[in-house]
Amino acid sequence: MKTLFDKVWDSHVVAREEDETLLYVDRCLIHEGSRHTFDTLHERGLAVAHPDKVFAFSDHYIPTDPRARAGGLANLPDPEIRNMIELLERNTDEYGIARFGWGDARQGILHVAGPELGLSQPGIALVGADSHTSTHGAFGNLSFGIGASETTHVVATQTIWQRRPETLRIRIDGTPGFGVTAKDIILAVIAKIGIGGAIGYAIEYAGSTIARMSMNERMTVCNMSIEAGGRAGMIAPDETTYQFLADRPFTPKGAAWDAALAFWRTLPSDPGAAFGKEVELDAASVAPMVTWGTNPEQALPITGRVPDPDRETNAERRGEYAKALAYMGLQPNVPLGDIAVDRVFIGSCTNGRIDDLRAAAAVAKLGRAVVPTWVVPGSEGVKRQAEAEGLDRIFTAAGFEWREAGCSMCTAINGDQLTPGERCASTSNRNFQGRQGPGGRTHLMSPAMAAAAALRGHLVDVRELGGRN
Amino acid sequence: MEPFTTLSGIAVPLDEANLDTNQLCPTRFNKVAKGPRFRDILLHDRRFNADGSEKPDYILNQEPYRQAVIAVAGRNFGVGSSRETAVFGLMGFGIRSVIAPNFGDIFYNNSLKNGLLPVRLPGPTVETLIRQLLARPGATMTVDLPEQVVTGPDGARHRFEVAPLSRKRLLRGLDEIAHTQEYAGAIRRFEQSQASAFPWLQPAS
Ligand code: SF4
């Protein structure tokens, strides 16, 4: 009896040596930040083994300001940022690697645009030069993030050496309440097991709550596996998966589709297959979540209060909480709903998909933003879909800024960033110190909660805004 | 890769949990090409003010820690982003081994690929080492990879585990790509059997 992870792992073993396995890699995703990989290829005169199995995206460095995009790459004022985007163009051209870059209708964040293209399929092994590659596991495959040296190894050999991780099943059952989304559920999981809770594990998410989720919601959950330290996050493929995949540019068609489908149906974990560790969560008990500190486990229901380090019994935690509060500029015991924000960011590979923008727009309809609020679609495809549905007009009518696709203020490397001390309600995935700009303060939450914060100017329980229908 | 055998020298206590890769290398430095600039990029926003001046009270800005070759840190070291620049920062500063209760997976692997040895020791042992180092600034330690032993400032020996293949590569400074190329035949056979079993995986669009 095998788990989904076992099946995918076992079918990619090329060789074993000592405790390590040489795994075959079906797809490798890269982005502008992969410069160190190309630097090494050049330095060592290495060739790319299978350029047609490598896919490049412009996302981290690309501007999301519509005026900058309209002005063209050559006119981008910051030479260092322009250089990163141009480097990707030169490098991918040199090695014959497909690029979804500046000006391409398929451009977007690698974990949003990749699945839209149909690159993420059940049963494959996919790596990405980015830690949130765990996103793609929502399709029932083994996907994980790697560093620059590992990426060099993958593109040069189409393989990677790995130690086999343990398996962790996280079962989520129950019906989430009104206003509770996939983001709240994964934040609740991380709060429960901690940012180191899944180190050394490949996670499989299972249970009725997961089974009822859309692919976009499943991607939100798998995306943040890495925030619990997980090597990968996986969800068994089912009809929802197959419907999403049908007729994507890179998915099989006709008889090949039928053969693929028959294989995909064999992938879910066998009943009774053993996992190294099991965790359970009742979705009905989850409330809309926000982070108050400087890592994703420092999260609480919005109905809670800022923790008091003096009341923390664990000495180590006490110190950590005090440091987090000092950085975040927060006082203990303050209701989370009283925390004023300076701006709002809706986007990223966690929450920049169409479902996320619909949820944010449903809240935006209820009022007007009182702080600067950005909506950054995860891809050009998401942007077009949102515009076709009129979401962009809802956002602009509510005073939200509608921008171009990219990572933007999630990692603040393209120039979109907080100023020191600024406090942001953000739908991204990391609230580390300085993540959204040096000195910036981040509170993570769902798109609906972020939109609600935009209307009120402070963190607020989206359930209080009404709009229930 | 430079081989790693036995390393002795000044150890710096980084008495903090959850030092994620965003702290080790703030995102804006990811675009920097590998090189000497990484000495100042390591933990940049902890070490420097916005105007570029040093924060004198941060431990890495103090003597004798500027000469540190080993770092001892709290749990969850290197969690977060996959940026290998976090490793370039540590190496640029001169640190060749980090001792902590546990590490982010990707950081752990990135370290091994660059000849930086991540050593996992139990939490209480790490706490003791940090206390000893804080009590005796400039104390030295030894990380012995052949013996798989860390020697603390008090001379106590702590055994550690490291995956055998990684250990072999580190000891000999083996090049991983060259090593994998010895498996070229196995890779070719895998590709052939995959092409017949899963024809739809072959790239097309
Ligand atoms: S959106 Fe953020 S987390 Fe996702 S790939 Fe971009 S920078 Fe990384």
Side-chain angles (χ1 to χ4, degrees):
Chain A
M1 276 182 296
K2 285 180 162 192
T3 64
L4 164 63
F5 167 81
D6 296 332
K7 294 178 192 184
V8 183
W9 176 280
D10 293 349
S11 66
H12 286 84
V13 175
V14 173
R16 289 196 187 84
E17 190 174 325
E18 308 258 15
D19 60 322
E20 293 193 31
T21 302
L22 187 64
L23 280 186
Y24 196 75
V25 172
D26 299 312
R27 312 247 191 280
C28 176
L29 310 186
I30 61 171
H31 55 90
E32 308 107 332
S34 304
R35 70 156 305 165
H36 300 286
T37 290
F38 288 106
D39 287 352
T40 310
L41 289 176
H42 286 137
E43 222 171 83
R44 301 188 41 183
L46 290 165
V48 172
H50 293 285
D52 53 359
K53 297 186 181 188
V54 186
F55 303 86
F57 297 83
S58 227
D59 50 9
H60 285 67
Y61 288 83
I62 201 164
T64 62
D65 178 346
R67 283 156 303 186
R69 285 281 263 274
L73 179 53
N75 295 315
L76 204 58
D78 186 320
E80 278 192 303
I81 290 175
R82 191 175 64 233
N83 179 47
M84 291 300 280
I85 301 170
E86 287 172 347
L87 263 181
L88 183 76
E89 298 200 338
R90 278 203 302 279
N91 285 325
T92 48
D93 284 347
E94 177 185 345
Y95 291 98
I97 292 167
R99 179 181 67 244
F100 308 100
W102 187 295
D104 191 310
R106 302 163 298 178
Q107 177 264 331
I109 307 172
L110 71 171
H111 313 311
V112 178
E116 280 175 350
L117 288 162
L119 290 171
S120 331
Q121 295 172 18
I124 64 168
L126 181 152
V127 301
D130 184 276
S131 61
H132 291 95
T133 305
S134 58
T135 310
H136 306 262
F139 292 85
N141 56 47
L142 176 61
S143 292
F144 53 92
I146 57 177
S149 296
E150 288 182 310
T151 307
T152 310
H153 185 277
V154 168
V155 299
T157 68
Q158 208 55 40
T159 60
I160 188 165
W161 289 99
Q162 287 282 297
R163 287 173 301 278
R164 189 179 183 120
E166 297 284 316
T167 52
L168 162 62
R169 177 161 60 188
I170 301 184
R171 286 198 67 93
I172 306 169
D173 288 297
T175 306
F178 171 72
V180 176
T181 68
K183 180 65 161 292
D184 303 297
I185 288 172
I186 189 62
L187 282 172
V189 166
I190 299 163
K192 180 174 173 138
I193 70 175
I195 60 169
I199 288 180
Y201 288 91
I203 305 171
E204 178 175 341
Y205 300 94
S208 56
T209 316
I210 298 289
R212 279 193 306 271
M213 284 183 178
S214 71
M215 285 316 298
N216 289 338
E217 293 172 302
R218 292 178 188 181
M219 283 189 261
T220 299
V221 170
C222 287
N223 173 274
M224 290 192 73
S225 303
I226 183 73
E227 297 333 320
R231 190 88 187 102
M234 311 175 83
I235 292 173
D238 61 8
E239 296 310 314
T240 306
T241 321
Y242 312 141
Q243 266 172 31
F244 183 101
L245 288 172
D247 286 324
R248 301 269 165 185
F250 283 86
T251 49
K253 313 283 181 308
W257 169 267
D258 296 337
L261 194 59
F263 168 67
W264 295 343
R265 291 190 196 282
T266 68
L267 289 168
S269 294
D270 300 327
F275 290 80
K277 193 160 100 174
E278 302 247 13
V279 170
E280 289 183 4
L281 184 82
D282 173 15
S285 71
V286 176
M289 301 286 286
V290 294
T291 61
W292 53 267
T294 53
N295 69 51
E297 77 180 33
Q298 294 176 333
L300 283 170
I302 179 66
T303 48
R305 289 168 180 269
V306 175
D308 186 343
D310 290 341
R311 284 203 226 154
E312 177 58 45
T313 45
N314 175 314
E316 206 178 348
R317 287 259 142 71
R318 203 178 309 141
E320 278 171 38
Y321 284 15
K323 268 188 199 155
L325 294 191
Y327 180 83
M328 292 297 289
L330 292 174
Q331 295 302 319
N333 303 314
V334 170
L336 292 169
D338 285 356
I339 298 174
V341 297
D342 302 307
R343 53 191 309 161
V344 175
F345 169 64
I346 298 170
S348 88
C349 61
T350 311
N351 284 131
R353 298 190 179 79
I354 190 69
D355 296 19
D356 304 311
L357 302 193
R358 287 179 190 142
V363 175
K365 264 187 196 155
L366 304 173
R368 255 196 94 73
V370 297
V371 292
T373 299
W374 286 7
V375 185
V376 183
S379 71
E380 285 292 306
V382 169
K383 182 167 183 258
R384 278 193 303 277
Q385 175 71 27
E387 289 175 350
E389 295 178 18
L391 304 184
D392 59 322
R393 292 190 296 281
I394 294 173
F395 288 129
T396 44
F400 293 26
E401 205 176 303
W402 180 240
R403 296 176 72 94
E404 303 283 338
C407 295
S408 185
M409 212 188 275
C410 169
T411 196
I413 199 175
N414 70 337
D416 298 347
Q417 62 178 44
L418 300 179
T419 54
E422 250 189 329
R423 186 182 302 282
C424 183
S426 178
T427 67
S428 53
N429 42 55
R430 287 187 174 138
N431 50 338
F432 296 150
Q433 291 186 26
R435 169 75 177 185
Q436 296 193 286
R441 295 163 171 160
T442 303
H443 294 276
L444 303 176
M445 63 197 71
S446 75
M449 285 284 287
L455 303 189
R456 291 291 173 82
H458 57 84
L459 304 187
V460 60
D461 190 336
V462 63
R463 297 172 298 189
E464 285 173 19
L465 268 71
R468 193 174 198 155
N469 46 34
Chain B
M1 184 172 74
E2 240 182 276
F4 186 109
T5 51
T6 296
L7 173 72
S8 288
I10 292 172
V12 59
L14 298 175
D15 188 12
E16 197 174 341
N18 311 324
L19 272 173
D20 60 80
T21 54
N22 257 90
Q23 311 311 310
L24 296 171
C25 173
T27 312
R28 61 192 186 279
F29 299 113
N30 282 346
K31 45 184 161 348
V32 176
K34 203 172 173 174
R37 269 187 74 191
F38 277 95
R39 181 172 175 88
D40 285 340
I41 288 173
L42 175 67
L43 286 159
H44 185 278
D45 295 348
R46 304 288 170 99
R47 288 164 61 203
F48 299 95
N49 294 305
D51 64 4
S53 59
E54 266 191 6
K55 298 180 183 175
D57 38 340
Y58 193 72
I59 193 159
L60 287 176
N61 290 336
Q62 296 165 0
E63 289 297 353
Y65 296 119
R66 289 178 192 273
Q67 323 304 326
V69 294
I70 296 166
V72 186
R75 68 188 149 79
N76 301 329
F77 189 88
V79 292
S81 154
S82 60
R83 61 192 65 178
E84 204 152 312
T85 48
V87 178
F88 300 167
L90 287 158
M91 303 273 295
F93 192 85
I95 290 170
R96 290 291 309 277
S97 179
V98 179
I99 300 167
N102 65 342
F103 294 88
D105 264 341
I106 307 177
F107 173 84
Y108 187 89
N109 289 336
N110 287 346
S111 301
L112 292 172
K113 312 290 172 190
N114 284 277
L116 183 143
L117 178 60
V119 175
R120 285 187 211 123
L121 287 178
T125 311
V126 171
E127 270 171 45
T128 307
L129 291 173
I130 288 180
R131 239 178 306 127
Q132 292 172 347
L133 292 171
L134 289 171
R136 286 179 43 205
T140 61
M141 288 178 57
T142 298
V143 179
D144 183 335
L145 181 59
E147 293 290 323
Q148 295 179 229
V149 166
V150 165
T151 307
D154 59 350
R157 290 161 58 83
H158 310 279
R159 168 132 188 120
F160 65 89
E161 293 305 321
V162 54
L165 189 57
S166 303
R167 178 171 174 272
K168 187 159 89 184
R169 281 198 203 100
L170 279 170
L171 285 174
R172 303 195 198 149
L174 283 185
D175 177 66
E176 198 183 49
I177 292 174
H179 176 68
T180 302
Q181 279 162 347
E182 292 170 18
Y183 287 93
I187 296 172
R188 217 172 20 252
R189 281 192 298 282
F190 182 95
E191 286 174 338
Q192 283 158 359
S193 80
Q194 194 194 45
S196 57
F198 309 107
W200 65 85
L201 273 181
Q202 300 320 303
S205 177

